[in-house]
Amino acid sequence: EDQVTQSPEALRLQEGESSSLNCSYTVSGLRGLFWYRQDPGKGPEFLFTLYSAGEEKEKERLKATLTKKESFLHITAPKPEDSATYLCAVQDRGYQKVTFGTGTKLQVIP
Amino acid sequence: KAGVTQTPRYLIKTRGQQVTLSCSPISGHRSVSWYQQTPGQGLQFLFEYFSETQRNKGNFPGRFSGRQFSNSRSEMNVSTLELGDSALYLCASSWDRQGGNTEAFFGQGTRLTVV
């Protein structure tokens, strides 16, 4: 069964303090790994899709990377508006079901 | 371009009742997936529909069901509601390409409270 583990569960950063969120996964065959951002009371907002080890994608202060066992979401010089829960999900190649991790709740303090 | 629309946004029901939630996907998207989100369990996959057929199903009891119409709009139904069914129900649509899902875009969700 596919599994996704995100760490840490919660992260508190000072504005401008860069850090990384981790997503470890187990999947029989990876079709894609997704990162989402979720604000309280809202649906997840799509950020990135990564398909193969070594792939990297960037958007503003966020950069996602992928290895064969894990993905990292690097946040450079975060701002308070980056505060949210970040979700990682994997889609397997065969069954094509999408499995989500429980997320990392990020708080950026001014 | 309109996003995924879910109705209603909020719902309060009594134990034993049934409920129907609606989802209108992004125009052109043919795949619709449903998820249940609770603080303790995170996002749990319910089922996925593509071209009016259920393609994947999660580990939920038969009280949870869904369907998709020819215009790709989808509904999910929960019968005999239990207190534990209180959750945020999320719908996601994606443009299915060559048999595989691309990234999914979520609606704002329906907050269901069972009392």
Side-chain angles (χ1 to χ4, degrees):
Chain A
E1 187 172 320
D2 301 341
Q3 286 190 324
V4 179
T5 303
Q6 292 188 247
S7 61
E9 288 186 13
L11 182 62
R12 193 171 176 181
L13 298 173
Q14 290 291 129
E15 184 173 359
E17 179 187 1
S18 301
S19 187
S20 297
L21 313 183
N22 178 264
C23 170
S24 298
Y25 64 90
T26 304
V27 65
S28 55
L30 181 70
R31 175 169 179 82
L33 184 141
F34 312 105
W35 282 99
Y36 288 87
R37 168 197 170 123
Q38 187 174 26
D39 293 302
K42 296 188 175 182
E45 175 190 345
F46 170 75
L47 293 172
F48 304 109
T49 305
L50 301 168
Y51 292 104
S52 57
E55 190 175 0
E56 299 182 352
K57 287 194 177 172
E58 287 188 68
K59 180 180 179 180
E60 296 180 356
R61 295 177 292 282
L62 300 176
K63 179 180 177 180
T65 62
L66 181 66
T67 72
K68 288 186 177 181
K69 294 184 178 180
E70 57 191 355
S71 176
F72 292 94
L73 185 65
H74 306 280
I75 303 176
T76 303
K79 298 181 178 182
E81 52 262 43
D82 294 322
S83 297
T85 295
Y86 290 85
L87 298 167
C88 171
V90 296
Q91 182 178 29
D92 69 75
R93 194 176 297 278
Y95 191 50
Q96 297 181 12
K97 194 177 75 169
V98 178
T99 302
F100 276 82
T102 52
T104 292
K105 186 173 182 179
L106 173 67
Q107 183 184 15
V108 182
I109 303 163
Chain B
K1 189 175 182 181
V4 179
T5 304
Q6 290 188 246
T7 56
R9 289 293 312 278
Y10 302 93
L11 209 49
I12 299 176
K13 289 286 188 179
T14 305
R15 268 183 305 174
Q17 286 187 313
Q18 75 165 14
V19 66
T20 299
L21 311 181
S22 180
C23 172
S24 293
I26 292 171
S27 178
H29 284 192
R30 297 164 65 191
S31 170
V32 173
S33 298
W34 288 90
Y35 294 85
Q36 180 195 67
Q37 188 174 35
T38 57
Q41 298 294 319
L43 268 157
Q44 301 288 310
F45 173 74
L46 280 156
F47 28 67
E48 182 216 356
Y49 285 87
F50 178 76
S51 292
E52 302 179 64
T53 301
Q54 188 180 85
R55 189 161 62 176
N56 287 311
K57 189 177 187 304
N59 298 322
F60 278 81
R63 300 185 297 107
F64 292 82
S65 63
R67 59 178 176 170
Q68 186 180 34
F69 302 95
S70 58
N71 60 358
S72 292
R73 190 177 70 85
S74 178
E75 289 181 346
M76 69 163 280
N77 183 77
V78 188
S79 62
T80 320
L81 284 165
E82 301 176 358
L83 295 179
D85 296 333
S86 295
L88 181 67
Y89 289 88
L90 291 160
C91 166
S93 76
S94 62
W95 178 37
D96 197 79
R97 193 165 15 175
Q98 294 183 343
N101 278 346
T102 59
E103 54 271 8
F105 296 88
F106 284 83
Q108 295 285 53
T110 294
R111 172 72 64 185
L112 172 65
T113 303
V114 182
V115 298

